[in-house]
Amino acid sequence: MEFDAARPHPSPHHHWVITISCADRPGIVHAVSGAIVAANGNITESQQFSSADTGRFFMRLQVESPAGLEEFETALAPVIDAYAMNAHVDVVGRPLRTLVLASTAAHCVNDLLFRQRAGQIALDIPLVLSNHGTLRDLVGFHGVPFESHPVTDADSKTAFEARVLQAVAEHDIELVVLARYMQIISPDLCEELAGRMINIHHSFLPGFKGANPYKQAHARGVKLIGATAHFVTSDLDEGPIIEQNVVRVDHSRTPAELVAIGQDEESRTLRQAVTWFAERRVLLDGVRTIIFR
Amino acid sequence: MEFDAARPHPSPHHHWVITISCADRPGIVHAVSGAIVAANGNITESQQFSSADTGRFFMRLQVESPAGLEEFETALAPVIDAYAMNAHVDVVGRPLRTLVLASTAAHCVNDLLFRQRAGQIALDIPLVLSNHGTLRDLVGFHGVPFESHPVTDADSKTAFEARVLQAVAEHDIELVVLARYMQIISPDLCEELAGRMINIHHSFLPGFKGANPYKQAHARGVKLIGATAHFVTSDLDEGPIIEQNVVRVDHSRTPAELVAIGQDEESRTLRQAVTWFAERRVLLDGVRTIIFR
Amino acid sequence: MEFDAARPHPSPHHHWVITISCADRPGIVHAVSGAIVAANGNITESQQFSSADTGRFFMRLQVESPAGLEEFETALAPVIDAYAMNAHVDVVGRPLRTLVLASTAAHCVNDLLFRQRAGQIALDIPLVLSNHGTLRDLVGFHGVPFESHPVTDADSKTAFEARVLQAVAEHDIELVVLARYMQIISPDLCEELAGRMINIHHSFLPGFKGANPYKQAHARGVKLIGATAHFVTSDLDEGPIIEQNVVRVDHSRTPAELVAIGQDEESRTLRQAVTWFAERRVLLDGVRTIIFR
Amino acid sequence: MEFDAARPHPSPHHHWVITISCADRPGIVHAVSGAIVAANGNITESQQFSSADTGRFFMRLQVESPAGLEEFETALAPVIDAYAMNAHVDVVGRPLRTLVLASTAAHCVNDLLFRQRAGQIALDIPLVLSNHGTLRDLVGFHGVPFESHPVTDADSKTAFEARVLQAVAEHDIELVVLARYMQIISPDLCEELAGRMINIHHSFLPGFKGANPYKQAHARGVKLIGATAHFVTSDLDEGPIIEQNVVRVDHSRTPAELVAIGQDEESRTLRQAVTWFAERRVLLDGVRTIIFR
């Protein structure tokens, strides 16, 4: 099956994306760009940010270079050492190995799988894991393997999370996406997957605690509802924010309509956050994210 | 296959939607509401508008009533006559019999079929007709019949349009959606389906004529791109506007990225326009639309 | 001094706005429209809403009629009695007598006064009261009397609130606007001015408690900041919401920039809420607002 | 007169903003950053873009350095020469000497003058020139000199434009803002002020030619209206676009209301474009702008 022509051209063979963070001090850009010149590289995209909060420096570069990956990393190594950098070099546009966790809601899963297939988002999704069987046909249509394992008590939850870690190892997973996976993640798994597990949840002004927030939002007459995509930490729904969106609603909306509207916001917000992560545009600065859009 | 729980409850058996237009004069609301009282009806939603441009009055009502459809229409008939109204009575939430025309682009078709199936949009789509075979699998997955007939010259175009009219008759079609159907519609077919054929196209500030508008928009450095859903008239891309959306872009976007962003706007704008039409919220006032959102 | 040509034409002499709320039951629209027909009125705008939450019915009408105000109210009186309605009849476009309370921030005050003067918002502001002298020149330029009284302890606060109530009586005030007035209103004053005192405050996702919320929002890396206009109740910042807006921000914004961005959102959100209130488009349904936009 | 506390802190004495454009080739970033290191500079902000359309490279840097301006420029000079750069070095936050041209509309002029005075926009406006006397009091209140000279025929137009050029020379003007100045600028003046004269105009989807576009937009039932800020060229309303915004409207809006809504969009769009220009975030790439937001 073909989709239409928006598919991006395959990346040139030697187009690298470099992300760096280190303590801020003069000379970093000069040192990095010197190493790139040494590898005959040409910088095609560059963004940087100095955090006044943490004193750290962040940079994202795209570089075209005839050098192979190993050769390129070798050229950068002395600079990375000298500045005690966290650095990562990768191929621009390489699909990110991504595990999707789901429950029964279809909207986020369908959005990600449809776009992966249409070539609009650089993901390689080898597996969808769910605690329900509901989405089997949908996932299958998109050509992705699907497994469901009920989570009903402490033991089945432990087993489910063990399967997650096994799948992460087996498929060399780089990102875990909670696409409306409606189980609380254990602190151990949060810790294990820190900085590479993204969740989506609804957002309201003001916030609402407890069950059925759409019903509460309706009762309170909020005028905006939205969604927040964030890294998962053991502090529930409070990890570093990656992306947020809202949409306007009015008094005539039923709670069921608010749910439908909220789902659209969740789909597009999660998709955006995952796209940026896959393109290595999301860096962590303490509890904040730096987004090099 | 199940989708999740946002599906609206089935409409109560006697929940009517009434749309009216007529020359504006005093007493219309009183006359209409009198007929509704006579049928033991309770007005649950009401919107009206008096057009200063055309001197016409427009109204949309939702009414709960124990009366059956025939009985209810009988109660309204004298008022409709007395005011020479264009009036329509229907069941709230009844799925609209909709024919979708497509070419090769998947985004709008997938969006409509996914939401129809999830119960988020009240459409009954018995057939997708295309001038290409590209979308056969996608449409089939959603359980909708698909036919493709190439359009390569005047004869095959005439044949395709004849098939459209035949399908309209066969399935008693109420709405034809051009979901990125990339052929110009003949004036005769425009005439035949006036007020019940909706098209989607990209929109830019300023507008661009001719081929490859995204490339032109890129060259000109526009900061907003969007989409317009409108009724089809023989005046190409100039029919009455139903809905418009835009999204912000910047200088770094390639033409291919502009296409992908534009497609998202097209999907959501077309979906919104079709939803409003299906809910009988779109009325025509000369070359303008009245949208009772 | 003249401003430019957007000033709306003066309302025709007999253009009435009617707002109604009552227990929902069949026949209300027919009864109201009957009374309007009896007064030779023509309905030019009409909106209604039945609240499933409270079982109440809300309606806003604009009517052109040759009847004078007293005559018109007399025609409506039997219907208002029969349905035990809360009802209000007024002249369309009549400027609302409005008292503005301010502290030191200029942005909301300037926005309201500039638009009042330009004829873009139907307010009649006879006085600005402040607990600081900061805005004296600005308010004076716009031709509005200004008084400042320091609020530094319980006694001066009591005196300030007594002056507010005195001004309300003296000028027959219909609306009190807290245009970044940075003092907590006493429960007694909240009670006294319930449903006619509007406040503006910043809004974040998630919300932040305590001092310096912009600094907290910066530290947490929020991607949206906004403002909420609401009726004042003794439950601080929790009264019925009238309008909300947000705007996108990113990691590079300093706390000072967030403040400036937030101020723009506050100005436009407060202005919108006040405009709707002045046009009698805001009705209360328990703790929710119905906004007939 | 004081305004509130959003005023940014004065820039540190040696905080430079550098803008560069040149033919793209490897090594530029390394060369520039080397010169900055030589001047003991620390890069605090950096953005770059390589235009695939024109093959040119664009960069904007902010640098803290103990070097004085002359010393700093001397350090950069060899690099600027070697790469045949268009380069500009300036003090971060230095108010831009700006001449405002106006006619009778107050909204854009008031917005710019209010924000200049509140310290929210880094402009130094020594004069407002108008072809009408309407805005004399408003401009005077903000403490800015005002001159009006009627433009009624070819001679008075020539005289007005001569006065513009004289004022540009007299005050060493860096930017001319057409704040709803309703006269066509002669090709000679366009040429003379190319790349430093910004205009604002309303924008619609689709565009409308000829007189009274808001009336046309109303007649056509557009759902979005907006504004575009652009550099002035002799090709009327077609210069490089700097910023665009839109806002949603519906069928119930009168032409007068569309005008008022459009004016708000014009004010905020012009203010944004001027702010970016003053911060040296706007660079020209042929007929496109690069905006380093």
Side-chain angles (χ1 to χ4, degrees), chain D residues 14 27 45 56 64 95 147 188 199 207 220 266 270:
Chain D
H14 296 296
E45 203 177 307
R56 287 190 70 79
E64 283 175 344
E147 273 179 35
D188 283 0
N199 187 37
R220 185 78 165 68
E266 289 168 5
L270 180 61

Side-chain angles (χ1 to χ4, degrees), chain C residues 142-192:
Chain C
H142 289 295
V144 174
F146 176 88
E147 271 180 35
S148 73
H149 306 283
V151 174
T152 55
D153 55 15
D155 284 356
S156 55
K157 180 170 178 169
T158 301
F160 191 93
E161 294 200 348
R163 177 64 190 114
V164 169
L165 281 177
Q166 187 189 40
V168 166
E170 199 175 306
H171 299 285
D172 200 9
I173 290 298
E174 299 166 288
L175 172 66
V176 176
V177 176
L178 308 188
R180 301 302 290 152
Y181 176 67
M182 303 304 282
Q183 294 285 325
I184 293 170
I185 305 294
S186 72
D188 284 359
L189 193 59
C190 289
E191 185 63 31
E192 184 74 36

Side-chain angles (χ1 to χ4, degrees), chain C residues 12-36:
Chain C
H13 208 59
H14 296 294
H15 200 176
W16 312 114
V17 56
I18 308 163
T19 48
I20 286 166
S21 76
C22 61
D24 197 10
R25 56 177 166 120
I28 301 172
V29 174
H30 188 59
V32 171
S33 58
I36 290 167

Side-chain angles (χ1 to χ4, degrees), chain C residues 15 17 30 37 43 48-49 94 100-101 114 117-119 139 150 161 187 190 213 215 218 229 251 259 264:
Chain C
H15 200 176
V17 56
H30 188 59
V37 168
I43 300 171
Q48 64 172 76
F49 181 68
R94 180 179 67 77
V100 173
L101 305 193
F114 177 78
R117 187 182 193 175
V139 173
E161 294 200 348
C190 289
K215 205 167 167 183
H218 172 82
H251 60 267
V259 169
D264 278 348

Side-chain angles (χ1 to χ4, degrees), chain C residues 58-71:
Chain C
F58 299 87
M59 193 170 202
R60 181 187 184 277
L61 293 156
Q62 290 190 194
V63 175
E64 283 176 344
S65 158
L69 183 56
E70 207 174 320
E71 186 185 347

Side-chain angles (χ1 to χ4, degrees), chain A residues 106-118:
Chain A
H107 56 290
C108 288
V109 171
N110 184 62
D111 191 84
L112 291 175
L113 297 186
F114 177 79
R115 282 163 204 281
Q116 173 206 13
R117 187 180 191 177

Side-chain angles (χ1 to χ4, degrees), chain B:
Chain B
M1 174 182 166
E2 278 181 61
F3 285 81
D4 66 3
R7 192 188 301 264
H9 295 293
S11 301
H13 208 58
H14 296 295
H15 201 175
W16 313 114
V17 55
I18 307 163
T19 47
I20 285 166
S21 77
C22 61
D24 197 11
R25 57 179 167 120
I28 302 172
V29 174
H30 188 58
V32 170
S33 58
I36 290 167
V37 167
N40 293 309
N42 190 28
I43 300 172
T44 58
E45 202 176 307
S46 168
Q47 286 159 296
Q48 65 171 76
F49 180 68
S50 297
S51 170
D53 298 323
T54 59
R56 289 190 70 77
F57 173 87
F58 299 87
M59 192 170 204
R60 181 187 184 276
L61 294 157
Q62 290 190 196
V63 175
E64 284 176 344
S65 159
L69 183 56
E70 208 174 320
E71 187 185 347
F72 193 76
E73 287 179 325
T74 303
L76 283 173
V79 176
I80 291 170
D81 274 3
Y83 288 84
M85 290 172 171
N86 291 329
H88 181 93
V89 181
D90 213 325
V91 179
V92 168
R94 180 179 67 77
L96 202 74
R97 292 179 303 275
T98 302
L99 175 66
V100 172
L101 305 193
S103 290
T104 59
H107 56 290
C108 288
V109 172
N110 183 62
D111 191 84
L112 291 175
L113 298 186
F114 177 79
R115 282 164 204 280
Q116 173 206 13
R117 187 181 192 176
Q120 289 178 358
I121 186 169
L123 299 183
D124 168 8
I125 303 176
L127 181 63
V128 174
L129 280 178
S130 177
N131 58 332
H132 291 273
T134 317
L135 303 177
R136 185 175 304 278
D137 288 359
L138 174 69
V139 173
F141 166 68
H142 287 296
V144 174
F146 177 88
E147 272 178 36
S148 74
H149 306 283
V151 174
T152 54
D153 54 17
D155 283 355
S156 54
K157 180 169 176 168
T158 301
F160 190 94
E161 294 200 348
R163 177 66 189 116
V164 169
L165 281 178
Q166 187 190 38
V168 165
E170 198 175 307
H171 298 285
D172 200 8
I173 289 299
E174 299 167 288
L175 172 66
V176 176
V177 176
L178 308 188
R180 302 303 288 152
Y181 175 66
M182 303 304 283
Q183 295 285 326
I184 293 171
I185 305 294
S186 71
D188 283 358
L189 193 59
C190 289
E191 184 63 32
E192 184 74 32
L193 298 173
R196 48 185 180 133
M197 180 156 54
I198 294 177
N199 186 38
I200 181 73
H201 69 81
H202 42 68
S203 296
F204 303 95
L205 290 163
F208 298 104
K209 303 287 182 195
N212 215 331
Y214 285 102
K215 204 165 166 184
Q216 290 187 63
H218 172 83
R220 186 79 165 67
V222 300
K223 306 307 183 194
L224 296 175
I225 64 174
T228 296
H230 62 99
F231 284 115
V232 180
T233 62
S234 54
D235 189 357
L236 186 66
D237 291 348
E238 289 286 330
I241 296 167
I242 302 170
E243 174 64 336
Q244 304 185 293
N245 283 297
V246 293
V247 71
R248 187 168 295 280
V249 296
D250 73 14
H251 60 269
S252 71
R253 298 297 191 172
T254 63
E257 288 172 329
L258 295 186
V259 169
I261 292 167
Q263 288 182 348
D264 278 349
E265 291 309 291
E266 289 168 5
S267 298
R268 73 179 182 111
T269 303
L270 180 60
R271 172 208 321 159
Q272 185 63 80
V274 167
T275 299
W276 285 335
F277 187 88
E279 296 175 354
R280 302 207 163 271
R281 297 183 182 280
V282 182
L283 284 81
L284 269 168
D285 179 30
V287 297
R288 309 173 71 208
T289 59
I290 310 302
I291 311 287
F292 288 134
R293 304 174 69 157

Side-chain angles (χ1 to χ4, degrees), chain C residues 94-109:
Chain C
R94 180 179 67 77
L96 202 73
R97 291 179 302 275
T98 302
L99 176 67
V100 173
L101 305 193
S103 289
T104 60
H107 55 290
C108 288
V109 171

